[in-house]
Amino acid sequence: RAWKQAVVLGGSMWRFGCSLGAIGGGALMRSCRGVAQWPHASKLLATLVQGLIELNVILCSTAVDACGKGSCWRMATSALSVMHQHGLEPDIVTHSGAIAACERSAAWPYAAVLLKSLASQCLQQDTVTWNAVISACAKGMVPSQGLGMLRGMQECAVRPDTTTFNSACAAAWNDWRLAVALFTKLLSCGLQHNSITFNTAISVSERARNWRQAY
């Protein structure tokens, strides 16, 4: 594969004492991101820290994204820490990538912390970011946290969308009454339901063993 050839070429350059540079390092990182090869992305990040390649926000963001696609939230959050240690300010793209990594791994406490850090750094919290945190709560099976995030989203005047309510409904887990209430709220907000909405509601009712409501 092309990404393997890129990694081999990069390694050959280092062994022969050639400097890869920020452009070459970025190309390598992007090749790993495209196929979610987070182990290689994390090794490249370690090389950045050693000073063999110039560290910058774009490279670190790419590393975070690669780790996120590989569902490796620990490496994604570590990349954020590396940025802070080197005086770099992660942007909304970097944070969103780390939150997405936490969402894929159901690491909702860390997703919530990252969401909170956006406000402290005066970065804009958008619907996609909130949705990822609510989804992380759903995957982590913590209904109260997921609903708390939904309330927090509305308090911050961030407009929910259909995905928001689908994720919140999934977070309800086996509370079919809550799922129905969320479905009603979705309609009252003028949002369109989709197949995911119905499938999620049916799953909640099934877990609650309420076949009448599912019907």
Side-chain angles (χ1 to χ4, degrees), residues 15-72:
R15 282 194 296 274
F16 285 100
C18 298
S19 175
L20 191 59
I23 296 177
L28 271 178
M29 196 75 77
R30 287 191 295 275
S31 68
C32 294
R33 177 187 63 181
V35 289
Q37 288 294 324
W38 66 264
H40 292 288
S42 64
K43 289 180 182 179
L44 283 170
L45 184 62
T47 303
L48 296 175
V49 175
Q50 294 170 8
L52 299 180
I53 305 176
E54 181 183 356
L55 193 67
N56 59 44
V57 174
I58 296 176
L59 285 174
C60 289
S61 296
T62 307
V64 169
D65 194 29
C67 294
K69 289 182 177 179
S71 300
C72 187

Side-chain angles (χ1 to χ4, degrees), residues 50-144:
Q50 294 170 8
L52 299 180
I53 305 176
E54 181 183 356
L55 193 67
N56 59 44
V57 174
I58 296 176
L59 285 174
C60 289
S61 296
T62 307
V64 169
D65 194 29
C67 294
K69 289 182 177 179
S71 300
C72 187
W73 64 270
R74 288 185 176 86
M75 287 304 307
T77 53
S78 294
L80 285 179
S81 298
V82 167
M83 294 182 70
H84 288 299
Q85 291 167 8
H86 286 77
L88 297 173
E89 291 296 332
D91 56 17
I92 185 62
V93 174
T94 314
H95 275 89
S96 295
I99 290 173
C102 294
E103 183 267 332
R104 292 187 181 97
S105 304
W108 65 269
Y110 295 90
V113 169
L114 289 170
L115 179 67
K116 186 176 181 180
S117 70
L118 288 176
S120 64
Q121 296 179 48
C122 298
L123 294 174
Q124 183 66 42
Q125 300 171 337
D126 59 13
T127 303
V128 175
T129 306
W130 278 96
N131 288 351
V133 179
I134 294 172
S135 179
C137 294
K139 292 180 179 180
M141 294 184 290
V142 283
S144 61

